[in-house]
Amino acid sequence: VSEGVISTERIIKMMNVVNDNLVIEAKGISSIEQFIIARRLMYWQVYLHKTSVACEQMLIKTLLRAKELAQKGVELFCSPALKYFLCNNISKSSFLSEESCLEHFVELDDSVVWCALKVWSSHSDKILSRLSSDIINRRIFKVEITDKQVSEETITSLQKRITTAMDITLDEANYFFAIHPIEKNMYDEKDDSIDIIYKDGTIKNIAEASDMLNISLLSKKIRKNYLCYLRLQNK
């Protein structure tokens, strides 16, 4: 998006180091202000766009179904690296203690997953095949975005409709919808501290130094709930 175009070269030129901390020269404040605003727009218009979120949730559900089948002994086409993660329960501690986990992880890329999806699209398991073929053919989940928490009545109604449409159980219907809460703010001083240095050596945080950006608006978290679900013909 055009709002994401900022003067990155100027920002880099304005960088300096004071007491082992990265700071920006005062004359670069306007570029930093544009960067923060562009960052917010890019998150909501690109990274957290409902199409991106829907595809991500579909892929998660597909891999979870594949993992469930693999651990039940169902034969699935996939690379050795992907098979390693489907057939084993890998935890965070495993990455820290087992070198083989990292070795298998670095062998994963989009081509490995894409190839598996193409083969799984014709698998005998209707859930795995439907999810895989929908990703391949860009039939992504429908997405509804709300500021409120999704009600239990909505979830129950959706489960029943998917169960009827797909002729599957209520538990299996969970593979065809997801509730993904997202919370994001424009700027968090604790995590993203940006300090401005003036010619006299004074250092101020961008929230204090900027005349354009309001600290209350900068730190305000925006929470949205993404309800992603299978597109039904009668909806």
Side-chain angles (χ1 to χ4, degrees):
V1 292
S2 59
E3 289 87 351
V5 179
I6 57 174
S7 180
T8 53
E9 292 183 1
R10 176 171 172 78
I11 291 177
I12 293 173
K13 288 180 180 179
M14 296 297 104
M15 287 182 177
N16 208 331
V17 177
V18 176
N19 298 326
D20 292 331
N21 292 319
L22 193 64
V23 296
I24 306 294
E25 295 178 15
K27 57 185 177 180
I29 287 182
S30 60
S31 296
I32 296 298
E33 291 171 339
Q34 293 174 18
F35 167 79
I36 293 176
I37 294 172
R39 180 174 182 262
R40 179 188 182 91
L41 291 170
M42 287 295 288
Y43 263 98
W44 291 114
Q45 293 184 21
V46 181
Y47 309 131
L48 299 179
H49 189 278
K50 61 182 182 180
T51 301
S52 299
V53 174
C55 291
E56 178 186 6
Q57 292 303 310
M58 287 184 71
L59 183 57
I60 290 173
K61 294 293 185 179
T62 305
L63 292 174
L64 286 174
R65 181 59 175 179
K67 187 177 183 69
E68 180 184 350
L69 295 175
Q71 296 193 347
K72 287 181 178 179
V74 178
E75 188 66 29
L76 294 175
F77 172 88
C78 58
S79 71
L82 182 56
K83 186 175 182 179
Y84 175 82
F85 288 99
L86 293 179
C87 295
N88 298 283
N89 292 315
I90 308 300
S91 63
K92 181 179 179 180
S93 60
S94 300
F95 276 95
L96 300 176
S97 59
E98 301 175 22
E99 187 175 337
S100 59
C101 291
L102 186 57
E103 291 176 350
H104 283 91
F105 182 76
V106 296
E107 292 177 5
L108 294 175
D109 58 23
D110 55 347
S111 62
V112 169
V113 176
W114 196 250
C115 185
L117 289 174
K118 286 190 173 184
V119 178
W120 293 348
S121 62
S122 58
H123 196 274
S124 58
D125 180 78
K126 67 164 64 176
I127 297 173
L128 181 64
S129 61
R130 176 61 184 270
L131 287 168
S132 299
S133 63
D134 281 358
I135 294 176
I136 294 293
N137 295 294
R138 306 294 199 277
R139 295 190 297 263
I140 63 173
F141 283 173
K142 184 176 178 61
V143 179
E144 294 180 9
I145 304 176
T146 176
D147 296 329
K148 300 178 180 179
Q149 187 173 359
V150 181
S151 67
E152 289 296 329
E153 292 79 7
T154 300
I155 296 173
T156 302
S157 173
L158 192 56
Q159 281 180 312
K160 291 180 178 179
R161 290 172 55 215
I162 293 174
T163 297
T164 302
M166 291 289 297
D167 190 23
I168 54 179
T169 66
L170 283 173
D171 287 338
E172 291 173 335
N174 291 328
Y175 283 106
F176 292 96
F177 78 90
I179 300 172
H180 187 50
I182 295 176
E183 188 176 73
K184 191 66 185 172
N185 57 0
M186 188 190 303
Y187 172 75
D188 190 337
E189 185 177 346
K190 296 180 180 178
D191 298 329
D192 311 315
S193 180
I194 301 176
D195 294 324
I196 305 298
I197 186 169
Y198 293 85
K199 290 183 178 181
D200 62 359
T202 303
I203 296 177
K204 293 183 180 180
N205 188 271
I206 183 64
E208 181 183 359
S210 173
D211 295 328
M212 180 187 298
L213 303 175
N214 184 289
I215 182 60
S216 61
L217 295 177
L218 281 174
S219 57
K220 181 181 179 181
K221 288 186 178 293
I222 298 177
R223 182 182 178 87
K224 296 183 180 180
N225 290 299
Y226 287 68
L227 174 60
C228 315
Y229 56 89
L230 179 71
R231 292 179 181 272
L232 302 171
Q233 293 182 353
N234 61 342
K235 177 65 176 176

